[in-house]
Amino acid sequence: MSGSRNARVGLDALLTPENSVLLLIDHQPYQFANLHSHEPTMIVNNVIGLAKTAKAFGVPTILTTVLEERGGYLIKGLQDVFPEQKPINRTFINTWEDRRVVEAVEKTGRKKLIIAALWTEICLAMPVIHALGEGYDVYIVTDASGGVTAEAHDMAVRRMVQAGAVPITWMAVGGEWQRDWAREKTVAGMADLLGQHGGATGVVTAWEWQLLGIHQAK
C-alpha cells in the first residue's frame, strides 16, 4: 500500500478556520454584465454570504479586481464586508501570476486555498490550476462563481476537478468551518448568516428559532 498522502480524503481533507484562506476574484460590474451561467443576484448573495462567513470565523480573506478603472469597483455588498481592505487591482488575467496576491496568500501560512471568481472559465480556472501546481489544496466555490454560459462554467469546473481541485458550495464551506454545534462562539453568527443569505435554509432556521422561543440576532 502506498504511504503517499491523499489530500482529498480523511479528516485532514475537511476545512477548518485555522487551515483556510479565502481568495475572492473579480466580483465586479463588468464581469456580472456577461454572467449567464447563474442568476446574477444568486451569485451576489452567495459571495457576500461566503465573505461574511469567512469574517465570522476569522479566516483571512484576500480581495482582488482586474482593471477596476474599466471593469468597475468590487460590488458594494462585498466591499462592505471588509470596508478597510483595498482590493489588489491587477492587469494579469491569471491572478496567480500577480506576486502581490501570491505573497498575500503565502503570508497566511495556510495551504487550503478557497477560491471564488468571475468568470469560472478564465479568472477561476487559471489561478486554480496554477496554485494546484504549487502544492496548494484548492477548493472552488462553484455557487459563488459563474461563467458566460452554463457550458463554460460546467466545463471549467470539470477541468479544475480533473486537475485536482475540490468543488464545494458556500454553505458547505461554513458547515465545515463550524463542524460542531457545541462550538457556541460561532453558532449565533452562523445562524444569522443563514438568515440573511441562506434562502429557504435561512427561512426554516428563523422558523425553528421562533418555535424554540429564541430571538434571532438583528
Side-chain angles (χ1 to χ4, degrees):
M1 181 182 294
S2 171
S4 62
R5 169 180 172 270
N6 185 344
R8 292 187 173 195
V9 299
L11 186 60
D12 288 343
L14 299 180
L15 299 166
T16 71
E18 295 76 28
N19 68 18
S20 303
V21 54
L22 176 63
L23 177 59
L24 299 177
I25 301 172
D26 302 352
H27 292 85
Q28 302 166 252
Y30 177 81
Q31 311 296 89
F32 276 101
N34 198 30
L35 172 65
H36 298 290
S37 62
H38 299 74
E39 167 55 48
T41 55
M42 187 184 81
I43 300 298
V44 170
N45 174 77
N46 293 351
V47 74
I48 293 172
L50 176 62
K52 288 181 178 179
T53 305
K55 188 171 185 177
F57 283 92
V59 173
T61 301
I62 299 158
L63 308 174
T64 183
T65 54
V66 61
L67 297 176
E68 68 177 21
E69 64 278 4
R70 300 178 190 175
Y73 298 120
L74 201 66
I75 56 172
K76 185 178 184 301
L78 182 52
Q79 184 67 75
D80 284 350
V81 181
F82 301 99
E84 305 303 320
Q85 184 178 157
K86 178 70 174 74
I88 298 171
N89 188 36
R90 327 174 315 277
T91 59
F92 284 107
I93 296 174
N94 174 12
T95 304
W96 208 250
E97 289 187 64
D98 192 309
R99 283 303 306 170
R100 296 171 299 167
V101 176
V102 177
E103 288 168 3
V105 172
E106 289 175 343
K107 189 176 179 180
T108 71
R110 301 168 182 220
K111 298 298 287 187
K112 291 196 182 295
L113 177 59
I114 304 165
I115 309 181
L118 299 181
W119 299 311
T120 315
E121 63 272 28
I122 299 173
C123 298
L124 184 60
M126 287 184 180
V128 165
I129 292 168
H130 195 162
L132 283 165
E134 295 187 354
Y136 285 88
D137 298 330
V138 184
Y139 295 71
I140 53 173
V141 189
T142 57
D143 63 349
S145 307
V148 298
T149 64
E151 181 179 7
H153 175 82
D154 292 345
M155 292 302 104
V157 170
R158 291 191 196 185
R159 181 185 181 193
M160 289 182 281
V161 169
Q162 287 176 342
V166 179
I168 194 167
T169 56
W170 84 268
M171 283 199 289
V173 172
E176 291 194 22
W177 284 342
Q178 178 64 41
R179 195 77 61 83
D180 185 347
W181 292 117
R183 296 173 180 169
E184 296 180 357
K185 182 178 179 181
T186 50
V187 168
M190 188 70 177
D192 188 39
L193 285 167
L194 289 175
Q196 294 178 44
H197 299 282
T201 300
V203 172
V204 171
T205 300
W207 181 33
E208 185 172 332
W209 282 39
Q210 174 193 331
L211 296 178
L212 293 172
I214 299 171
H215 294 289
Q216 191 167 1
K218 299 296 184 182

